[in-house]
Amino acid sequence: MADVEICDVRKSFGATEVLHGVDISIPDESFTVLVGPSGCGKSTLLRMIAGLEKVTSGEIVIRGQVVNEVPPKQRDIAMVFQNYALYPHMKVFDNMAFSLKLAKVDAKQIEEAVHRAAGILNLEDYLERFPRQLSGGQRQRVAMGRAIVRDPQVFLFDEPLSNLDAKLRVQMRTEIRELHQRLRTTTIYVTHDQIEAMTMADQIVVMHDGIVEQIGAPLDLYDNPANVFVAGFIGSPAMNFLPGSVERGGRAQVTMSNGTTLPLAEEAAAGEGQPVVYGVRPEHLDLVSESDGFAAEVVVVEPMGSETQVLARLDGREIIAAFRERHEFHPGQRIHLRPNLAKVHLFHQDSGQRL
Amino acid sequence: MTDSTLRRSAVAMTGPGLWTRLNNDRNWLGFWFMLPAAAILVLFLTYPLGLGIWLSLTDASIGNPGKFVGILNFYEKECYGPDDCEIYGLFGDHVFWQSVWQTIFYTTVASVAKFAIGLYLALLLNNHLPFKAILRAVILLPFIVPTVLSAIAFWWIYDAQFSIISWSLTKLGLIDQYIDFLGDPWNARWSLIFANVWRGVPFVAITLLAGLQTVPPSLYEAATLDGAGRWQMFRHVTFPLLTPIIAVVMTFSVLFTFTDFQLIWAITRGGPANATHLMATLSYQRAILGGNMGEGAAISTAMIPFLLAAIMVSWFGLQRRKWQQGESDD
């Protein structure tokens, strides 16, 4: 097991730079998730850690050793691919044993290692099958088994759950998390799904357009997003953003261009007249009486059972509110909403940074 | 609904006629759809093949439809006294046996060479090379040129007086005398094999390249991380995944080589002294030039067991592997 340091790493394909200097510190035994929309460079970074892509500049350090020029097989890492990359002509046993066979490990030890991994992953009954004869979830497990067998210093996962159906994805999410708690191997996991990131990570790295937007624990990112991008990316349904300018005559508030006023805590770090983006999460909007809050017109109601989401229109802007209580809404109805002052986020309108 | 309308609709509901039922029958329709293909097969495959086999059992010659003689074209034992028997027919014909061995030798050597060179080129072209598209086009060239045209070119290249190879080697001071490429039996055999390999490599290379490109790159990445070197990757990933394509390509290659006619006929006509006759050229010579249709047909018919054997080898030895078939449990 090992810690991984990524120091000012850049990557260019020809003249196009896709990673613009990335610094990440991944502690030993941690589960770190790289998350971001497609094209943000997260998979490229993972492949660079694996040694499948060259580092253009900067350093990747695994357990204190710079590995930029170390070939993949000597980095002592294992990777689980999005399409599993199982060898179709080898049985499950041989798929899992392949790396050990190449390393000329004694046949008895291979047998033991494979059976141990198969036991952990409930694959004992499938060792004599070909990958074709397995379901998606089983193949996923074989891919993980192949990684476990080697007992590597670092596990790399490249969007491993995106080929599975929704239900299986939730199940495998838990299994991977449980596996990590059991083996404590440093894990770097790439996904575009923020729910996977939130539920699995010790540490989330949010990436966007080749840079790191924010690094932190899941709930830290949720409660204190560093900028509009992170605020909008983490959390589902996404945070509502309402642009306006701060007014501090009497009660502090943010006035939108259409005249709607949004209440603001007095201690909010924004000066009079400053243009801001007012951010509030759907679950931090309360339903209030007509004399209070601001008015919005219900467009769509989505009852989820545990909560009800309401898409409402606020003078041309759409806003989503989520309520744990059950309310009877109907499209066209006017409702009044009030943000929970303590949970309001203010962002700089130009830079998008948190104020 | 009134009584009368009910009755009228009942009348309209009588069962469909035979024609309608046939028209809606999947099997019947399938039969009709297959008929043109069957007709073409019968006309251009079964009939000539059948005629060939029939001719091999007759004493037909040009202008004479011939009569049935049984297996006399293949085997005839005539005894002139006790312990003084002669075997006639193909079995007793040492030129025929020579052509059989030459065909087997030619096919084996040329096929192995085509496979080795084709696989090498395919692996080479599967890498990221500069000018890859042009290289691929160049490799295809021998395949595009009409066989007879390239055969004539080789005829010149191997010519006793005008050979460019001999000329170059003499100019370089490596040899004193021009090489007799087509006049010496072994030189002629190797020269023909070289020409055949030159012509056949593109087919093997391009088909194997197509096969290589179906191997997902992530398998190589996984193998890299598993610690496989280049050779191990070829041995454990590329080659096993390529076997189905290799089976198809080599079956075709063997069949085409075994039945080769154009190259031999254009370059050596089977000479010198029958040293390069293949079964196909010998059959042509006996049947068309010699006029002995029955005998020629018998030589052609004698090729069938060899061709069947080649197909069987690829069918049983290299047929679709279990891992390709998916779902079944056994």
Side-chain angles (χ1 to χ4, degrees):
Chain A
M1 273 156 258
D3 56 331
V4 179
E5 292 286 335
I6 292 154
C7 311
D8 193 26
V9 163
R10 288 165 189 276
K11 175 68 185 177
S12 306
F13 291 106
T16 321
E17 193 175 77
V18 295
L19 283 178
H20 316 290
V22 168
D23 288 282
I24 304 171
S25 174
I26 294 159
D28 190 12
E29 298 195 357
S30 76
F31 196 114
T32 297
V33 174
L34 308 180
V35 66
S38 54
C40 71
K42 56 192 189 301
S43 282
T44 307
L45 182 59
L46 192 77
R47 293 167 57 80
M48 285 159 87
I49 299 171
L52 297 171
E53 299 278 358
K54 282 243 168 250
V55 178
T56 308
S57 78
E59 281 182 348
I60 293 175
V61 183
I62 299 177
R63 206 193 218 163
Q65 189 202 356
V66 178
V67 294
N68 287 26
E69 299 303 323
V70 177
K73 63 172 165 181
Q74 286 165 25
R75 294 190 185 194
D76 198 10
I77 42 162
M79 183 157 167
V80 175
F81 292 82
Q82 180 174 356
N83 63 357
Y84 321 134
L86 300 178
Y87 309 113
H89 54 290
M90 294 184 199
K91 290 180 174 171
V92 168
F93 181 91
D94 298 309
N95 260 288
M96 288 167 67
F98 189 53
S99 62
L100 298 180
K101 279 184 187 162
L102 289 179
K104 304 237 163 21
V105 174
D106 165 68
K108 213 174 144 224
Q109 280 180 332
I110 292 180
E111 185 99 358
E112 274 173 23
V114 171
H115 280 286
R116 195 178 336 117
I120 294 175
L121 294 163
N122 285 329
L123 283 169
E124 296 276 20
D125 296 341
Y126 304 104
L127 289 175
E128 288 305 306
R129 294 210 190 171
F130 286 105
R132 277 274 164 95
Q133 299 165 325
L134 302 177
S135 69
Q138 290 165 339
R139 284 182 213 180
Q140 176 63 59
R141 265 193 228 121
V142 176
M144 291 199 291
R146 191 164 67 174
I148 295 174
V149 161
R150 296 175 46 195
D151 190 20
Q153 295 197 31
V154 183
F155 278 141
L156 305 178
F157 289 85
D158 189 5
E159 308 223 9
L161 304 184
S162 43
N163 286 1
L164 301 178
D165 65 51
K167 199 170 172 189
L168 202 53
R169 207 177 299 160
V170 174
Q171 186 193 329
M172 290 306 293
R173 209 160 75 192
T174 327
E175 280 187 30
I176 294 177
R177 185 72 192 147
E178 206 186 320
L179 189 69
H180 176 256
Q181 285 165 0
R182 183 166 175 175
L183 302 174
R184 306 302 316 167
T185 307
T186 310
T187 301
I188 307 175
Y189 185 107
V190 161
T191 179
H192 60 264
D193 182 350
Q194 57 93 20
I195 294 185
E196 269 174 40
M198 290 293 287
T199 50
M200 299 171 82
D202 296 326
Q203 167 179 269
I204 297 183
V205 179
V206 182
M207 294 182 69
H208 181 221
D209 280 346
I211 57 161
V212 171
E213 294 279 2
Q214 191 174 0
I215 302 178
L219 293 179
D220 269 353
L221 297 195
Y222 191 82
D223 293 337
N224 302 303
N227 52 43
V228 171
F229 179 80
V230 176
F233 193 79
I234 300 289
S236 171
M239 188 186 282
N240 297 296
F241 294 116
L242 304 163
S245 52
V246 176
E247 280 180 13
R248 281 193 178 276
R251 265 199 344 197
Q253 59 187 31
V254 168
T255 309
M256 293 172 66
S257 57
N258 55 33
T260 306
T261 59
L262 308 161
L264 198 60
E266 287 298 334
E267 63 275 16
E272 168 73 23
Q274 186 175 357
V276 293
V277 174
Y278 188 96
V280 60
R281 294 202 181 274
E283 66 270 31
H284 298 146
L285 286 167
D286 296 326
L287 193 66
V288 290
S289 63
E290 273 188 31
S291 55
D292 206 354
F294 56 85
E297 187 187 332
V298 173
V299 183
V300 176
V301 184
E302 296 178 300
M304 320 276 278
S306 61
E307 63 175 31
T308 305
Q309 290 175 12
V310 178
L311 175 71
R313 196 166 285 137
L314 173 64
D315 289 318
R317 255 176 192 286
E318 278 172 354
I319 181 168
I320 294 178
F323 305 108
R324 303 295 295 186
E325 320 82 53
R326 296 202 174 170
H327 297 287
E328 286 293 323
F329 294 117
H330 54 86
Q333 182 183 353
R334 276 182 86 74
I335 54 172
H336 281 250
L337 298 168
R338 188 185 57 199
N340 178 346
L341 277 191
K343 306 281 188 178
V344 165
H345 307 267
L346 276 192
F347 302 99
H348 200 280
Q349 217 172 62
D350 296 324
S351 67
Q353 294 302 311
R354 182 184 192 82
L355 285 170
Chain B
M1 213 179 277
T2 64
D3 220 27
S4 66
T5 45
L6 264 179
R7 206 172 300 131
R8 217 179 301 145
S9 63
V11 169
M13 283 295 286
T14 51
L18 179 67
W19 179 244
T20 323
R21 265 186 292 146
L22 278 181
N23 254 347
N24 288 319
D25 186 331
R26 286 169 60 89
N27 296 334
W28 182 250
L29 209 62
F31 175 76
W32 280 106
F33 283 162
M34 278 194 317
L35 214 57
I40 290 171
L41 281 179
V42 168
L43 192 65
F44 295 109
L45 249 136
T46 316
Y47 171 69
L49 187 67
L51 185 65
I53 294 173
W54 165 251
L55 281 176
S56 72
L57 302 174
T58 68
D59 62 354
S61 55
I62 297 214
N64 162 33
K67 59 177 195 305
F68 183 77
V69 295
I71 58 158
L72 289 190
N73 281 325
F74 295 93
Y75 182 87
E76 186 182 3
K77 192 175 179 184
E78 215 149 311
C79 290
Y80 305 104
D83 301 330
D84 183 18
C85 289
E86 280 279 353
I87 291 177
Y88 295 96
L90 293 182
F91 263 81
D93 181 351
H94 79 274
V95 176
F96 167 75
W97 283 115
Q98 195 185 343
S99 82
V100 170
W101 292 121
Q102 267 150 210
T103 309
I104 292 171
F105 177 74
Y106 180 78
T107 308
T108 313
V109 175
S111 295
V112 168
K114 278 189 274 197
F115 173 65
I117 300 170
L119 183 61
Y120 172 74
L121 287 177
L123 290 170
L124 205 65
L125 285 179
N126 199 33
N127 290 325
H128 291 290
L129 291 173
F131 312 114
K132 193 154 85 169
I134 296 176
L135 273 177
R136 278 185 199 175
V138 168
I139 283 183
L140 266 182
L141 270 179
F143 197 52
I144 299 165
V145 180
T147 313
V148 175
L149 218 60
S150 48
I152 291 172
F154 271 108
W155 186 32
W156 275 100
I157 290 170
Y158 295 145
D159 189 89
Q161 286 182 53
F162 304 110
S163 165
I164 187 164
I165 302 174
S166 296
W167 180 82
S168 310
L169 292 177
T170 337
K171 287 285 169 196
L172 286 169
L174 294 174
I175 53 169
D176 302 326
Q177 262 194 324
Y178 271 34
I179 301 167
D180 188 7
F181 283 106
L182 303 179
D184 173 83
W186 277 105
N187 282 356
R189 285 176 195 134
W190 288 115
S191 301
L192 287 174
I193 287 173
F194 181 84
N196 180 280
V197 169
W198 179 84
R199 223 193 118 57
V201 156
F203 170 69
V204 179
I206 294 295
T207 319
L208 291 183
L209 179 61
L212 282 176
Q213 287 175 345
T214 63
V215 180
S218 61
L219 288 189
Y220 293 120
E221 291 176 348
T224 309
L225 292 174
D226 276 341
R230 288 179 73 84
W231 164 248
Q232 287 165 322
M233 235 183 275
F234 174 76
R235 160 138 170 36
H236 296 291
V237 180
T238 313
F239 193 78
L241 290 176
L242 218 52
T243 42
I245 297 264
I246 291 175
V248 174
V249 123
M250 288 324 290
T251 308
F252 274 102
S253 181
V254 164
L255 295 187
F256 289 151
T257 315
F258 197 90
T259 55
D260 198 5
F261 173 81
Q262 293 185 70
L263 264 182
I264 316 296
W265 199 253
I267 298 177
T268 64
R269 310 226 156 190
N274 300 325
T276 60
H277 255 313
L278 300 190
M279 291 167 84
T281 52
L282 187 68
S283 159
Y284 177 79
Q285 195 190 44
R286 295 270 169 92
I288 308 298
L289 303 184
N292 298 317
M293 299 293 281
E295 198 185 333
I299 297 172
S300 288
T301 305
M303 291 165 81
I304 293 175
F306 293 102
L307 297 177
L308 278 180
I311 293 171
M312 291 301 182
V313 166
S314 96
W315 180 260
F316 288 113
L318 297 162
Q319 63 179 313
R320 282 169 69 88
R321 300 295 166 88
K322 211 193 280 175
W323 55 266
Q324 294 177 282
Q325 290 166 345
E327 314 313 324
S328 76
D329 254 330
D330 50 10

